[in-house]
Amino acid sequence: MIRLRALLLPLCILVAWSAAATAPEVSPLPSPRPEARAPDALALVAEAGLSGTVAFIVVDLETGAPLEGGEADLPLPLASVAKAPTAVYALDALGPDHRFETRLVASGTLEGGSLSGDLVLQGGGDPETDSEALDLLAFRAKEAGLDFVSGRFLVDAGLLPTVERIDPTQPDTAAYNPSVGGLNLNYNRVFVEWRRRGGAPSLSVEARAETLSPVTAAVRVEAHDVVSAPGAFAYLGGAPETWHVAATALARDGGRWLPVRRPADYAGEVFVRQADEAGLRLPPPEPGAAPAVADVIARVESRPLADILTDMMRYSTNLTAEAVGLAATRAVGGSAETLEASAGAMNAWAAQFTGFPPGDPGFRLTNHSGLSAESRASVRRLAEFLVAAERRGFPALGGGRAATLRGLTPDRPILDEGAATPAVAASVRAKTGTMNFVSALAGYIEPEAGRRLAFAIIAADLPQRAAFAMDEVETPPGARAWAARARALQRALIRSWIARYAAPRLAAASE
């Protein structure tokens, strides 16, 4: 049994798009116990006055028995909460020690520093390859004795399908919505920086990593007086990828991230530059496949999958979720030709893993990150998944730096004055999912003493969301205020559940 306690999930924000869902018949859940003095969930939801729908459930983690819920079977968009099942799926299929490999392979003979054949940069699906890794790969090739290539320099990203963008409904400029492929660099994004020194602004496009930021020509940004797009930047496509930016937006020094749509071209161009720095001269990159049998000149490995997933949960990186999800589907022999096909394989796995019927509308993801117009889950299925993950030794929301809530706090009492229930300290391990007019939270409540709980909350105002063109507006009016009220409701629900269900006296009284 795999026991993984490193998957840390603080509150992460993800922006996505979703449409309304039709509610199936809802099974009744037990009413809160009358001896509990804290407000029940229905009262808290009514008090919050949040527009749209609020679905919630809390269950006993040991037995899986529901304790309280509302709209528990209504499929709603879960946004980045989808990364929790993706993490467990990847661990189950690949194992926590799995490492992705990026290689340089040769189709010819290397003699006296000269390769009489083609050199191939072969991607292994690593979601975390960066400019520093390519720099290391170039120096390792140099150390292996490679000085000159007489043939072609090919870029092979065919291990995974190339997807131009995770969700086509997002704005072109959304860096959280990049391409995905077998060869990914710097999360498939570039950093555009502009500086004014008296006259026209100077623009640079960099393949920025933590300690290395080479300039890249794979993406070009040009300033124009008029840009026909809702924002300052307009994507024109092409090769190299070309963007126009309104000159008026460059009045002051600044910079921003932009997504990359042609990841193999990007990685190949940057590698040629890094190879040149290492003293290795290469011809311009071309797309091509590595031969089935080839000599490995150099390689770099990723971090262990468990560490990659820890950061995926911490920073809610969409590219990581899609890449590891595709790799997991490929490992189990499922269809990984598209994100939707791969998510379908994960849905079937989740049904078997959790024990609900295959094809259940309460768990239908269309990709692995939650950045989708169609992904839906009910809070009941999410809670059941969390219970199954804990029982099987895959705590999807593992330990680490956890938020701590108390059943009674001096600044905002949760219990009525004079309530006999004592204060209860508990750690909350939870994953957030946030999009415009949708806010989700699912995880575990673990008191210092008392009953352990699993919960899921999704609030969604889909009519209000549908009133805006999400491919043009990243944050519509009112979205931030709505999200703040939703998060306040989530905190109130969790405090109530700690006070009413996790307290040792009440947990023992119900057994």
Side-chain angles (χ1 to χ4, degrees):
M1 179 174 68
I2 299 172
R3 194 73 183 171
L4 183 65
R5 282 286 177 188
L7 298 187
L8 171 67
L9 305 181
L11 302 184
C12 302
I13 293 180
L14 171 68
V15 182
W17 189 94
S18 183
T22 302
E25 184 178 351
V26 178
S27 302
L29 291 172
S31 300
R33 292 185 302 276
E35 70 268 26
R37 299 292 301 278
D40 65 27
L42 291 176
L44 291 170
V45 170
E47 180 184 349
L50 197 65
S51 63
T53 301
V54 178
F56 60 89
I57 193 171
V58 60
V59 306
D60 186 304
L61 184 55
E62 302 303 324
T63 67
L67 301 172
E68 186 174 32
E71 300 286 4
D73 295 294
L74 176 63
L76 290 169
L78 69 167
S80 202
V81 170
K83 292 183 176 70
T86 294
V88 179
Y89 179 52
L91 288 170
D92 196 30
L94 301 169
D97 298 323
H98 176 81
R99 293 175 186 263
F100 300 93
E101 188 176 272
T102 305
R103 309 191 303 175
L104 279 177
V105 301
S107 62
T109 303
L110 178 60
E111 291 183 1
S114 178
L115 174 63
S116 59
D118 297 337
L119 182 69
V120 186
L121 174 63
Q122 186 178 37
D126 183 1
E128 293 190 334
T129 303
D130 59 13
S131 296
E132 294 157 2
L134 293 190
D135 191 58
L136 176 60
L137 188 64
F139 274 96
R140 285 181 175 173
K142 184 69 175 176
E143 289 174 351
L146 181 62
D147 297 315
F148 176 76
V149 176
S150 64
R152 300 169 297 171
F153 172 54
L154 303 177
V155 180
D156 183 356
L159 183 70
L160 300 178
T162 297
V163 180
E164 189 178 76
R165 62 192 76 200
I166 297 170
D167 178 21
T169 71
Q170 297 296 321
D172 281 340
T173 54
Y176 55 78
N177 185 37
S179 54
V180 182
L183 187 58
N184 308 292
L185 179 64
N186 300 325
Y187 298 100
N188 288 342
R189 60 182 189 171
V190 292
F191 191 77
V192 182
E193 193 168 30
W194 52 92
R195 294 285 181 266
R196 298 192 72 94
R197 296 295 181 265
S202 62
L203 281 158
S204 66
V205 182
E206 302 171 1
R208 180 167 289 188
E210 188 172 350
T211 63
L212 197 63
S213 190
V215 172
T216 178
V219 177
R220 182 170 58 197
V221 179
E222 302 170 346
H224 286 260
D225 291 335
V226 178
V227 174
S228 57
F233 285 79
Y235 180 63
L236 276 66
E241 296 180 46
T242 302
W243 292 78
H244 284 177
V245 58
T248 53
L250 310 179
R252 298 180 181 178
D253 293 354
R256 66 162 298 159
W257 293 100
L258 289 175
V260 168
R261 302 298 178 208
R262 302 170 66 94
D265 292 358
Y266 174 43
E269 193 274 340
V270 171
F271 183 78
V272 169
R273 289 175 180 265
Q274 299 308 103
D276 188 69
E277 290 286 331
L280 171 60
R281 303 295 182 263
L282 295 177
E286 305 175 37
V293 179
D295 293 327
V296 179
I297 302 296
R299 72 185 79 203
V300 290
E301 288 187 335
S302 73
R303 300 185 298 158
L305 179 63
D307 294 340
I308 291 173
L309 295 176
T310 296
D311 278 357
M312 177 190 79
M313 297 302 225
R314 178 179 292 122
Y315 301 113
S316 209
T317 44
N318 296 323
L319 182 143
T320 301
E322 302 301 349
V324 301
L326 287 166
T329 297
R330 186 174 179 274
V332 300
S335 173
E337 295 303 312
T338 65
L339 297 183
E340 186 169 7
S342 183
M346 186 174 77
N347 293 340
W349 164 88
Q352 184 176 22
F353 182 88
T354 307
F356 57 78
D360 191 296
F363 194 97
R364 185 184 179 277
L365 276 59
T366 58
N367 62 24
H368 298 287
S369 65
L371 189 65
S372 169
E374 302 298 333
S375 284
R376 297 286 186 274
S378 70
V379 292
R380 188 189 300 276
R381 293 293 183 241
L382 287 175
E384 289 172 348
F385 178 86
L386 292 173
V387 171
E390 184 73 9
R391 285 177 179 172
R392 291 170 177 253
F394 288 95
L397 317 177
R401 187 186 63 192
T404 298
L405 299 174
R406 293 190 174 272
L408 185 63
T409 58
D411 56 334
R412 185 175 178 181
I414 300 302
L415 305 178
D416 296 336
E417 264 186 52
T421 305
V424 180
S427 0
V428 178
R429 297 182 284 123
K431 181 72 187 79
T432 60
T434 304
M435 59 177 116
N436 293 325
F437 300 109
V438 174
S439 183
L441 185 69
Y444 302 107
I445 297 172
E446 296 185 332
E448 292 178 356
R451 174 191 275 139
R452 300 166 68 221
L453 308 171
F455 71 91
I457 308 164
I458 302 178
D461 188 341
L462 299 181
Q464 189 166 190
R465 179 178 177 77
F468 298 93
M470 293 304 167
D471 60 342
E472 298 180 1
V473 181
E474 289 195 34
T475 308
R480 286 195 175 95
W482 187 94
R485 292 195 299 273
R487 289 192 293 270
L489 173 59
Q490 291 164 1
R491 291 191 296 270
L493 288 170
I494 290 171
R495 290 189 180 101
S496 172
W497 291 334
I498 291 171
R500 295 188 295 125
Y501 298 121
R505 180 180 67 82
L506 294 179
S510 64
E511 294 172 355

